[in-house]
Amino acid sequence: MDCGVPRELLDDLTAEFDSLRALVPSGTNLRRPTPAAGWDVGASVSHLIGCDLLAEEAVGDPGEFRRARPAMDVGLAELLEGHITARQDLPVEQLRQEWADAFAALLRAFTSSRRGQKVPWFGPPMSPATLATARLMEYFAHGQDVADALKIVRRPTDRLRHVCHLGFVTFEFSFANRGLPVPPSPPRVELRLPSGRSWARGPEGADAVVTGDALDFALVVTQRKHRLDTSLTCRGEVAEQWLAIAQCFAGPPGPGAGG
């Protein structure tokens, strides 16, 4: 049986987990506030643990996931808040152990997944590979919050290409999620990865174009930074509109890039 997640993607997801967990060693002050309003370091880690466990269930036991999950517009916020509340008093070593256990379970589920499988999630079902990409994106985004809280500058890697891919393919979602008409065609996106390699998506010769640094694009589509605070350049009204509302994560509309 062919695994539903490419080995390269599993390796990159694991590396993203390892790099973030290394930022939260024993002795870390979990109450340090992050740039995400109302979230501290412990809340960020607890959220990742809870979502890893949900993703493991969605892949490994989709029937139970469908039965137990709340409607996205009613109970999702309460569910996610519960992940944080349940772990808010845990010492850092216990939190780290739960984190390692949850991620190991998630990897086992992804490794046992199969090509062609459709995984239920909060929104349309997706392939195991897409869900793995979404988990990597969340590790990047919340990892940025934790790094900022601890005043650590992370060295970017070409793992950003997965976040950029998710940012691009959620172009239509970013508009539809806000009840806005979806433009007929996405912009061309041309980025420079940390290694210096080029990365591009979208129609060549498009009227709307986004160019710049992959890290900046990833921070904008995860709503960690406003486009105007980056080196990204936009050509065309559609590109400007998109980067103002770009959202590559599930759920109701966020406040906007850097909001």
Side-chain angles (χ1 to χ4, degrees):
M1 180 180 70
D2 291 334
C3 178
V5 183
R7 182 74 253 172
E8 180 186 34
L9 176 53
L10 285 177
D11 289 344
D12 283 349
L13 174 59
T14 301
E16 200 69 23
F17 163 79
D18 288 340
S19 69
L20 176 51
R21 194 164 180 268
L23 299 186
V24 189
S26 299
T28 300
N29 179 5
L30 298 176
R31 303 285 78 85
R32 288 281 293 271
T34 75
W39 285 42
D40 55 27
V41 171
S44 299
V45 172
S46 296
H47 172 76
L48 290 168
I49 293 171
C51 288
D52 281 351
L53 291 172
L54 282 173
E56 183 271 333
E57 181 179 70
V59 176
D61 193 350
E64 176 61 20
F65 180 86
R66 291 189 192 96
R67 187 195 67 77
R69 72 171 184 165
M72 185 169 67
D73 59 347
V74 176
L76 179 57
E78 290 81 358
L79 177 64
L80 298 181
E81 182 62 31
H83 295 161
I84 296 171
T85 302
R87 297 176 177 87
Q88 62 185 359
D89 296 323
L90 292 182
V92 65
E93 270 308 314
Q94 187 174 345
L95 191 69
R96 280 171 51 83
Q97 188 59 56
E98 286 199 17
W99 195 6
D101 292 344
F103 187 78
L106 176 62
L107 280 187
R108 287 194 296 271
F110 279 141
T111 301
S112 300
S113 67
R114 63 187 186 279
R115 288 187 184 180
Q117 179 179 352
K118 286 298 181 182
V119 181
W121 197 238
F122 301 100
M126 62 182 70
S127 70
T130 298
L131 183 55
T133 304
R135 296 308 305 137
L136 191 153
M137 176 274 298
E138 278 225 72
Y139 267 91
F140 164 78
H142 292 290
Q144 187 64 47
D145 295 340
V146 170
D148 288 344
L150 300 176
K151 302 188 184 309
I152 296 171
V153 178
R154 298 194 297 174
R155 179 178 173 270
T157 74
D158 280 11
R159 296 192 298 271
L160 285 169
R161 68 191 185 280
H162 301 294
V163 183
C164 294
H165 169 75
L166 203 60
F168 176 77
V169 299
T170 50
F171 169 79
E172 293 184 3
F173 168 78
S174 297
F175 287 88
N177 198 35
R178 293 174 179 266
L180 299 173
V182 178
S185 179
R188 172 77 169 174
V189 179
E190 299 176 348
L191 304 173
R192 181 181 58 259
L193 293 169
S195 66
R197 292 166 51 204
S198 297
W199 183 96
R201 293 291 188 278
E204 295 185 11
D207 292 333
V209 182
V210 176
T211 60
D213 186 79
L215 176 59
D216 283 341
F217 184 75
L219 291 171
V220 169
V221 298
T222 56
Q223 297 193 354
R224 263 54 190 181
K225 185 175 281 193
H226 193 283
R227 197 275 289 179
L228 295 179
D229 294 326
T230 73
S231 62
L232 294 176
T233 60
C234 292
R235 187 183 76 213
E237 184 178 1
V238 169
E240 294 278 1
Q241 290 175 339
W242 176 35
L243 290 196
I245 61 171
Q247 176 175 328
C248 68
F249 49 88

